[in-house]
Amino acid sequence: MSNPLLGNFTGPFGTAPFSTIKEEHFIPAFDAAIAEAKENIKALENNTDAPTFENSVVALEHCSDTLGQISSIFFNLNSAETNDEIQKIAQEVSPKLSSLQNDILLNEKLFERVKAVYEQKDTLNLDVEDARLLEKTYKDFSLNGAALNAEDKEKLREVDLKLSKLSLTFGEHVLAATNAYELVIDKEEDLAGLPEAVIEGAAMTAKEAGKEGKWQFTLQYPSYIPFMTYAENRTLRKDLFTAFGTRCFDGGDNDNQKIVKEIVQYRNEKAKLLGFDNYADYVLEKRMAPSPKAVVDFLTDLEQKAHPAANKEVEDVVNYAKENGAEEVQRWDWGFWSEKLKKERYAIDDEALKPYFKLENVLNGVFEVSSKLYDLHFEARTDIDKYHEDVMTYEVKDGKGRHIAVFYADFFPRAGKRGGAWMTSFRGQSIYNGEEKRPHVSIVCNFTKPTETKPSLLTFNEVTTLFHEFGHALHGMLAEGKYESLTGTSVYWDFVELPSQVLENWCYEKEALDLFASHYETGEKIPQEMIDKIKASSTFLEGYQTLRQVSFGLLDMSYHQLHDGKVADVSQFEEMAMEPTSIEALPKVDGVNMSVAFSHIFQGGYAAGYYSYKWAEVLDADAFELFKEKGIFDKNTASSFKDNILSRGGIEDPMELYKRFRGEEPKVDALLRRAGLLN
């Protein structure tokens, strides 16, 4: 039986043949690709020619290309369209992949070859990209234990193996706990306050679950957030809040407390083996931030600037709630009362905005913005295979008709998809042996599904989410370089959010909104008055939101700066780490915990890197000030951003790229100005 995962893909532009891939194909494909990679490594080890950049560094870059292709398909499916079988396969193949990575990075002979080339780097006349690849490869070896003795190498292998399994299990638990809970309502009065579209969506969810005539709410964001924002039934809000906050924290099968402790401990052990004081020190070796202290200082500075504003904002919401009959304000009341105050203060209503943001229109809008900025054109294709019927597929071309990328868009929640929103690639961009491979890029979100009577209508927050993920997609699509490990989003982690966060700014500009924000029934453009309200309300609770993000960043750094890696009690540790950002008027709720579902740092790649979101906001606010100054669709500014940021990936030092675009280093003042935290 031929395996569709092996060999060249024959779909348009070499796209993955999803419809022919079955679960049983993955293990044999992984095994074959790992065997091929090992043969390539063996050939490299046994090469008797003197080490050169081509026969050592470039050869290493391509030694596991087949495996990379299979891995990207498999792990993307494990996030977007998983099932028990795929999760079982993930648990089986992850240790094999971890072991192979160590076979490469702990291999003395390979390191000797790379080191020999590295020591001649000043005499090799390498171009910028080649020099960067050499430096990155050498650093990868030295930061991953190539110079360790045999005993410590063995210990490192064991630690990496444990970490790869633990983070997978962590994610499986979060997904299972999220899917396990349902709030089923059978009395119509319990729906008071909820918008019609939310009620209709809950009826559809109940019907799909065989509970016709009832309404079902879940812990998925498109269901959870509207309920917490609009439901008048305070008891049910508390129930839902508690269910969300106790996911993986209830002592049951999906409890993650022990896993959090183990991940933190093994990461610390890894850092120590590699000669670092703690895991944060190790991670920041490959970041823009110079040290953990610099990160904590940055977060603390933001905390001090945001805290007075946050205290005042919370006080305002609490007072407003009490003036309107509330006896107290707890966390499960926060979304409800803050939305009411926002509506009263700015005469803005998310539900009134939604008809102007039909999903298809917003998607066409982000296409149009990309066309005006970067001369990109998106053509829907029905001949590109996809992994689920909801997925939409496009070919991306530039103004001259050149094929730029394949784009996949996957927008609605389902049981096999993890929560949140993300951008990913099925194939990166590269040039090898004279052949260029253009990227295959995907964005995955969890927006409200269309119902029998309404299309998918987005909240303004979801509009900015779509633009955010599309900003990442542009970074992937516009890549221009030789080596996949340096192109697209393969950049320092604290630089990766700049392209995504900067694109959100267009959502607040009339010139951009006029391209797509029109009423789905009447076709009327979004009124200027509403745009003014969106802009005016954009700094509403900004102090509180800044403090919240800072609290996550401090929690992340606290876990990863531990000298001994020991966490006695996850709940107490979290409380201590987040204490500097606490607000007296909004007390912490006992029995809930964020760490156990903090997928960014325990499942994704944000360990000792969550601060990146706030750092990228500094970059994006500073960058967008230039667009504002020159015009948001100014061709020269857009070309400079494309040429210096989007297309360059990780080919050069990010600060050098940024300065080339902006003319100087970024200033935090731009962010504080935009947030209304600086007069």
Side-chain angles (χ1 to χ4, degrees), residues 200-211 215-218 223:
E200 199 178 335
M204 195 167 82
T205 304
K207 188 178 176 183
E208 285 168 359
K211 302 182 182 84
W215 299 270
Q216 183 169 316
F217 294 88
T218 70
S223 180

Side-chain angles (χ1 to χ4, degrees), residues 282-293:
Y282 165 68
V283 167
L284 293 179
E285 274 291 304
K286 292 203 283 187
R287 298 291 188 267
M288 289 178 84
S291 67
K293 182 185 181 301

Side-chain angles (χ1 to χ4, degrees), residues 404-550:
I404 295 295
V406 170
F407 174 62
Y408 299 83
D410 178 1
F411 289 128
F412 305 121
R414 49 183 178 265
K417 185 197 276 194
R418 68 176 166 89
W422 63 95
M423 167 268 176
T424 185
S425 294
F426 289 104
R427 182 173 92 181
Q429 184 268 338
S430 64
I431 300 170
Y432 186 48
N433 288 339
E435 184 200 349
E436 179 174 27
K437 287 187 172 172
R438 292 304 302 168
H440 299 169
V441 169
S442 172
I443 61 172
V444 188
C445 304
N446 282 278
F447 297 145
T448 307
K449 289 172 92 162
T451 64
E452 285 165 14
T453 65
K454 281 191 177 63
S456 176
L457 301 174
L458 305 188
T459 64
F460 185 70
N461 190 41
E462 288 174 326
V463 174
T464 60
T465 295
L466 197 157
F467 270 70
H468 178 102
E469 298 311 332
F470 200 84
H472 281 309
L474 288 171
H475 204 184
M477 289 189 258
L478 290 168
E480 299 287 351
K482 291 184 273 193
Y483 309 115
E484 191 175 334
S485 67
L486 293 178
T487 62
T489 56
S490 300
V491 298
Y492 282 173
W493 208 257
D494 45 7
F495 194 58
V496 79
E497 293 297 332
L498 167 60
S500 55
Q501 289 183 190
V502 83
L503 198 65
E504 291 181 39
N505 290 285
W506 274 260
C507 300
Y508 296 88
E509 301 297 324
K510 176 174 168 49
E511 210 181 329
L513 286 167
D514 277 348
L515 299 172
F516 66 90
S518 54
H519 197 286
Y520 79 100
E521 287 174 315
T522 66
E524 172 210 7
K525 274 189 167 44
I526 190 165
Q528 180 62 48
E529 180 194 3
M530 275 191 168
I531 297 174
D532 294 341
K533 287 172 183 176
I534 288 171
K535 290 189 87 151
S537 66
S538 66
T539 58
F540 180 62
L541 302 186
E542 192 58 46
Y544 172 80
Q545 296 296 357
T546 298
L547 210 56
R548 187 169 176 268
Q549 285 293 94
V550 167

Side-chain angles (χ1 to χ4, degrees), residues 19 28 83 87 217 274 319 344 352 446 547:
S19 60
N83 55 41
Q87 290 183 358
F217 294 88
L274 294 166
N319 289 341
E344 186 168 302
N446 282 278
L547 210 56

Side-chain angles (χ1 to χ4, degrees), residues 1-6 20 25:
M1 180 185 74
S2 69
N3 191 319
L5 286 161
L6 296 168
T20 60
H25 292 135

Side-chain angles (χ1 to χ4, degrees), residues 103-121:
D103 284 347
I104 296 170
L105 294 174
L106 296 175
N107 187 312
E108 229 164 293
K109 286 182 181 172
L110 294 185
F111 184 45
E112 284 306 317
R113 291 189 73 86
V114 171
K115 195 175 169 191
V117 180
Y118 186 75
E119 284 168 352
Q120 309 165 49
K121 66 180 189 293

Side-chain angles (χ1 to χ4, degrees), residues 34-81:
I34 288 169
E36 178 189 275
K38 284 182 172 175
E39 275 176 38
N40 291 339
I41 292 163
K42 187 60 77 187
L44 251 172
E45 276 183 318
N46 296 335
N47 189 344
T48 53
D49 294 343
T52 65
F53 177 74
E54 285 294 329
N55 74 16
S56 300
V57 180
V58 176
L60 257 176
E61 169 80 0
H62 292 283
C63 75
S64 52
D65 283 353
T66 307
L67 183 61
Q69 181 171 275
I70 295 163
S71 295
S72 67
I73 291 169
F74 176 77
F75 286 103
N76 282 325
L77 290 179
N78 192 35
S79 289
E81 185 58 10

Side-chain angles (χ1 to χ4, degrees), residues 147-388:
L148 294 178
N149 62 42
E151 189 187 338
D152 284 345
K153 279 182 180 174
E154 202 43 53
K155 281 184 195 165
L156 189 63
R157 281 178 182 276
E158 286 168 23
V159 167
D160 282 339
L161 193 60
K162 284 168 180 164
L163 282 170
S164 75
K165 287 191 156 191
L166 284 166
S167 71
L168 269 177
T169 306
F170 181 95
E172 286 167 11
H173 285 181
V174 174
L175 183 64
T178 302
N179 286 339
Y181 179 84
E182 56 191 40
L183 170 66
V184 179
I185 289 175
D186 49 19
K187 293 197 203 84
E188 205 159 341
E189 61 263 32
D190 288 338
L191 302 169
L194 290 168
E196 184 195 330
V198 174
I199 293 170
E200 199 178 335
M204 195 167 82
T205 304
K207 188 178 176 183
E208 285 168 359
K211 302 182 182 84
E212 185 114 31
K214 297 181 181 182
W215 299 270
Q216 183 169 316
F217 294 88
T218 70
L219 301 180
Q220 300 275 9
Y221 280 116
S223 180
Y224 176 77
I225 298 292
F227 196 92
M228 297 306 295
T229 307
Y230 298 109
E232 287 171 14
N233 188 318
R234 187 171 187 247
T235 305
L236 291 180
R237 284 205 313 268
K238 183 181 178 182
D239 289 349
L240 201 62
F241 172 88
T242 305
F244 191 87
T246 55
R247 286 178 306 163
C248 309
F249 192 63
D250 57 1
D253 290 346
N254 294 317
D255 194 287
N256 269 341
Q257 291 175 81
K258 184 167 177 279
I259 289 177
V260 166
K261 292 178 189 178
E262 288 178 348
I263 289 175
V264 172
Q265 181 138 18
Y266 285 125
R267 282 175 176 169
N268 183 270
E269 204 177 310
K270 175 172 181 161
K272 288 276 193 335
L273 275 169
L274 294 166
F276 294 91
D277 283 346
N278 54 56
Y279 194 71
D281 271 332
Y282 165 68
V283 167
L284 293 179
E285 274 291 304
K286 292 203 283 187
R287 298 291 188 267
M288 289 178 84
S291 67
K293 182 185 181 301
V295 170
V296 173
D297 286 350
F298 166 66
L299 292 171
T300 304
D301 183 44
L302 281 180
E303 177 267 316
Q304 287 167 359
K305 289 189 166 91
H307 220 140
N311 283 334
K312 171 82 172 64
E313 289 162 359
V314 172
E315 207 178 289
D316 285 354
V317 173
V318 171
N319 289 341
Y320 174 81
K322 288 181 175 173
E323 283 161 16
N324 285 276
E327 288 177 25
E328 59 167 3
V329 174
Q330 293 286 351
R331 297 267 171 178
W332 51 87
D333 304 313
W334 176 253
F336 180 76
W337 287 111
S338 57
E339 179 63 22
K340 281 196 177 312
L341 176 59
K342 179 181 165 187
K343 195 171 169 181
E344 186 168 302
R345 187 176 285 179
Y346 300 99
I348 193 166
D349 177 2
D350 257 346
E351 287 304 306
L353 286 173
K354 278 168 74 173
Y356 294 95
F357 297 125
K358 182 181 169 184
L359 172 60
E360 291 79 358
N361 293 350
V362 179
L363 184 61
N364 286 332
V366 83
F367 288 168
E368 185 67 22
V369 167
S370 306
S371 171
K372 281 178 160 295
L373 288 169
Y374 308 120
D375 202 17
L376 294 178
H377 306 278
F378 295 78
E379 193 180 297
R381 299 280 297 235
T382 54
D383 57 343
I384 292 172
D385 215 341
K386 49 198 188 182
Y387 56 86
H388 190 274

